[in-house]
Amino acid sequence: MRRNKLHSAIHIFGLAIAFSICILLFLTAYFHLSFDSFHRDKPQLFRTSRLINSAQGTEMSSQMPLPAAAALRTDIPEVEAAIVVNMGMPENFSYEEKNIERVVVRTDPNFFDMFNFPVLIGNGSTALSDFQDIALSETTAKAIFGESDPIGKELKIGRGDDVEYYTVTAVVKDCPNNSSIRFDAVARIQSLPNYAQLQNNWGSNGSSVFVKISKNSDLQKVAMKLEPFVEKYYPDQLAQLRSGRSDVQKSSELLSINLTNINDIHFSGERSSSKLLVYALMSLGAFILLIACFNFVNLNMANSFKRSRELGVRKTLGAYKGQLFMQLWGEALLLYFVGFMLGLGLASQLIPVFNAQFGGGIDISALFQPTFLAIMIGVFLLVTLIAGGYPALKMANFNLVGVLKGKISTKRPGALRNSLLVSQFAISSLLICISWIAGQQLDFLREVPIGFEKEQVISIPVGFQQDGRKILARMRNELQNDPNIVSITGTGGNLGRGLDKVTVRSVVGFDYKQNQVSADWLLADYDF
């Protein structure tokens, strides 16, 4: 390495860059593929969803009515447990002089028995025994109570006259980043506003329903039992769908309930990540590493002619081919190890920037997960064996007499080396073209007119502690004469994600001229 400083530096620098990019892309893929993998009974856990085939087209929704969970437990013997999970919206938490906003998930009392969210204080099995019990996440508990024991303390949730009192019964470890279910607090479904009106309403779909299928159950048989289940509990919806689709006879072709395993939830739904994209990221990392490997092989083969006399002398002094191979491969292994460690260090430094730029959600601690470390070490050994082993084998097999007579030819590099060179430049060109096209697309997304000048609009989150309409009226009175302000308005949610990290999307379904319509709903004031 000291004798060939430039040669070594090109190897180490190229490998470090390739390994760092590969690690970042593999970490992103690992993060997405590991979603919900921490649940102990994941092969048995499923989320239900409705597939509707109306005259307007096919629509898939994971939103289910509240009574569906109890009906599934009763009607299908293979369903060991079924619970409702209502993801909820940010609500105002009050305790003494403190007021914070947090998201409350409302669910059934066996929530912590079905899912493996670690309970740090209290008992998960009894945490939601009473209708007004509440379990807090670790961060939420510290934000409200500091270091004092929160168990048994009373919380007020809501604003104005519309408040409910809850007793803290447990503290749960914060949801991991790779969880589809996220919460700041967990309460009973019975504490949901308008629960009395919704508990037997099969036409109101606003919650997720998760089921646990008993071990060794045939999923196909369970799916078959869901067909009569739909006919029993959805007669009005089926009649409405039939009126627009007279050509369809079977109920299951109009409305069906499907089961999605919890491992696949992250990749299902219109706003979910695509598994194909995850595999594309892994392929991209592999291609970049492949370019570095090709470069290593080509440079080593080119450099081998400089070392031919050294190898010839070693052979003359009694070195075997195996010894030469191990020496040359050991040199390659050392170069790869230095490049790998530098790449690992570079990747760990780039993770925060990478997350900020691409919303990756990956954590530095994921670098040291046993599974991920095993994958990366396996990749490292495979790459060194192939990319370092081939040049070492080729050089170890040089003809002794030819080497000492200086008859090693440099005019015919061989079909393999030519193939590597062509492949290296072809893959590089492909990635450059992809990067250029992706850059153009991102520029388009940033510059396309969106209907308002975002630099001129300030969004102020009011929160749930105060009445937003009253705040808006006060602001109009105070600021209407300010020449710098063109107009003032209010909406029920941010346009996108605000500085308070909250975004709201409401979808409403209604019937119009015997057609089912689904539309985004935004509450807005005049001047909007």
Side-chain angles (χ1 to χ4, degrees):
M1 287 168 69
R2 283 199 305 268
R3 189 179 301 122
N4 300 285
K5 293 183 179 64
L6 180 62
H7 183 263
S8 302
I10 291 171
H11 276 324
I12 291 170
F13 181 72
L15 290 169
I17 295 291
F19 273 122
S20 65
I21 295 172
C22 190
I23 287 167
L24 287 173
L25 294 178
F26 276 28
L27 271 176
T28 304
Y30 178 77
F31 168 70
H32 287 284
L33 293 172
S34 68
F35 251 75
D36 300 307
S37 60
F38 57 91
H39 297 297
R40 185 172 52 249
D41 300 321
K42 53 184 178 289
Q44 299 169 254
L45 298 178
F46 295 84
R47 186 186 68 183
T48 61
S49 58
R50 294 174 300 117
L51 181 63
I52 302 165
N53 190 8
S54 65
Q56 284 71 46
T58 302
E59 180 188 348
M60 173 76 83
S61 174
S62 61
Q63 297 298 291
M64 298 287 289
L66 285 186
L72 285 164
R73 282 195 302 267
T74 305
D75 289 25
I76 301 178
E78 289 85 354
V79 174
E80 194 175 293
I83 63 170
V84 177
V85 177
N86 185 285
M87 295 302 183
M89 302 287 290
E91 299 182 50
N92 186 67
F93 284 48
S94 301
Y95 177 74
E96 294 179 348
E97 300 302 317
K98 288 185 179 178
N99 287 281
I100 63 171
E101 285 175 16
R102 292 293 185 268
V103 175
V104 183
V105 162
R106 289 179 167 83
T107 183
D108 289 305
N110 54 336
F111 177 82
F112 293 109
D113 292 328
M114 183 177 282
F115 301 113
N116 296 111
F117 295 105
V119 178
L120 303 176
I121 306 174
N123 187 333
S125 298
T126 59
L128 302 177
S129 297
D130 192 76
F131 288 172
Q132 298 306 118
D133 286 345
I134 192 166
L136 303 179
S137 70
E138 188 178 9
T139 300
T140 303
K142 284 184 178 177
I144 299 171
F145 301 105
E147 297 302 321
S148 63
D149 185 6
I151 303 300
K153 292 193 167 74
E154 197 171 63
L155 269 180
K156 186 169 69 173
I157 299 180
R159 58 180 172 81
D161 298 328
D162 187 19
V163 297
E164 294 285 341
Y165 290 88
Y166 294 83
T167 303
V168 179
T169 55
V171 176
V172 187
K173 191 173 182 180
D174 290 342
C175 298
N177 288 331
N178 61 343
S179 175
S180 297
I181 301 172
R182 307 197 64 78
F183 56 82
D184 298 313
V186 183
R188 282 284 290 271
I189 191 68
Q190 285 81 3
S191 65
L192 188 70
N194 302 322
Y195 173 77
Q197 290 80 24
L198 297 173
Q199 62 176 329
N200 296 312
N201 187 345
W202 284 85
S204 177
N205 302 291
S207 304
S208 298
V209 172
F210 290 85
V211 298
K212 182 180 179 182
I213 305 296
S214 55
K215 279 186 178 179
N216 304 318
S217 292
D218 189 340
L219 204 58
Q220 288 293 108
K221 287 183 179 178
V222 177
M224 287 173 64
K225 290 180 181 179
L226 286 171
E227 293 183 22
F229 180 88
V230 169
E231 292 179 351
K232 180 179 178 181
Y233 292 103
Y234 288 89
D236 296 337
Q237 291 92 325
L238 286 171
Q240 191 176 43
L241 289 168
R242 279 197 184 95
S243 65
R245 292 293 307 274
S246 56
D247 56 315
V248 179
Q249 299 299 320
K250 291 182 67 176
S251 300
S252 59
E253 294 178 10
L254 293 170
L255 174 61
S256 62
I257 293 178
N258 301 326
L259 299 176
T260 304
N261 187 262
I262 197 164
N263 282 330
D264 301 319
I265 288 175
H266 183 59
F267 299 105
S268 63
E270 60 182 49
R271 292 196 160 202
S272 302
S273 302
S274 168
K275 197 172 269 192
L276 186 64
L277 182 60
V278 173
Y279 292 137
L281 284 177
M282 293 174 69
S283 301
L284 184 62
F287 273 139
I288 291 169
L289 196 57
L290 204 58
I291 291 172
C293 291
F294 288 172
N295 195 55
F296 189 92
V297 172
N298 290 328
L299 285 174
N300 264 9
M301 291 305 296
N303 193 53
S304 65
F305 300 108
K306 294 182 180 178
R307 302 189 62 182
S308 59
R309 293 184 186 277
E310 173 204 338
L311 298 175
V313 170
R314 286 181 184 275
K315 278 191 173 186
T316 306
L317 294 173
Y320 294 108
K321 286 182 182 178
Q323 292 173 316
L324 290 176
F325 172 80
M326 290 305 296
Q327 178 209 333
L328 295 167
W329 184 59
E331 291 174 5
L333 189 67
L334 180 62
L335 281 169
Y336 264 85
F337 180 74
V338 174
F340 179 72
M341 294 308 293
L342 284 175
L344 199 62
L346 185 60
S348 65
Q349 294 299 310
L350 288 174
I351 282 175
V353 182
F354 183 83
N355 281 337
Q357 185 70 25
F358 300 107
I362 56 178
D363 198 320
I364 293 176
S365 62
L367 278 171
F368 308 103
Q369 291 286 335
T371 308
F372 186 77
L373 272 179
I375 291 169
M376 291 312 300
I377 291 170
V379 169
F380 169 74
L381 291 175
L382 182 66
V383 164
T384 52
L385 186 62
I386 295 172
Y390 172 74
L393 188 65
K394 196 78 174 171
M395 285 189 275
N397 282 322
F398 278 164
N399 181 270
L400 173 61
V401 177
V403 165
L404 294 176
K405 289 184 175 180
K407 290 184 179 179
I408 299 295
S409 173
T410 60
K411 293 179 181 178
R412 299 178 61 191
L416 179 62
R417 191 173 160 217
N418 281 336
S419 300
L420 293 179
L421 280 168
V422 171
S423 300
Q424 180 181 347
F425 282 102
I427 295 172
S428 299
S429 301
L430 173 67
L431 295 181
I432 289 168
C433 290
I434 289 172
S435 301
W436 182 77
I437 293 167
Q440 293 254 349
Q441 181 70 7
L442 288 171
D443 288 341
F444 170 77
L445 289 172
R446 291 190 188 103
E447 295 168 9
V448 65
I450 55 175
F452 65 93
E453 295 184 34
K454 58 185 179 183
E455 291 82 6
Q456 307 304 116
V457 178
I458 297 173
S459 170
I460 303 172
V462 173
F464 292 86
Q465 187 181 353
Q466 301 291 335
D467 187 336
R469 291 176 177 84
K470 291 179 181 178
I471 299 290
L472 180 58
R474 288 177 197 161
M475 288 187 70
R476 278 204 171 103
N477 290 334
E478 293 290 332
L479 304 175
Q480 62 183 345
N481 296 321
D482 192 321
N484 296 309
I485 295 173
V486 177
S487 63
I488 299 170
T489 190
T491 65
N494 276 323
L495 297 174
R497 192 176 295 278
L499 291 177
D500 57 348
K501 306 301 181 188
V502 173
T503 184
V504 177
R505 185 187 184 211
S506 298
V507 179
V508 63
F510 56 90
D511 299 328
Y512 179 72
K513 293 183 179 179
Q514 296 184 338
N515 291 330
Q516 284 191 326
V517 180
S518 179
D520 278 82
W521 172 285
L522 180 66
L523 185 70
D525 202 38
Y526 67 86
D527 282 346
F528 175 72

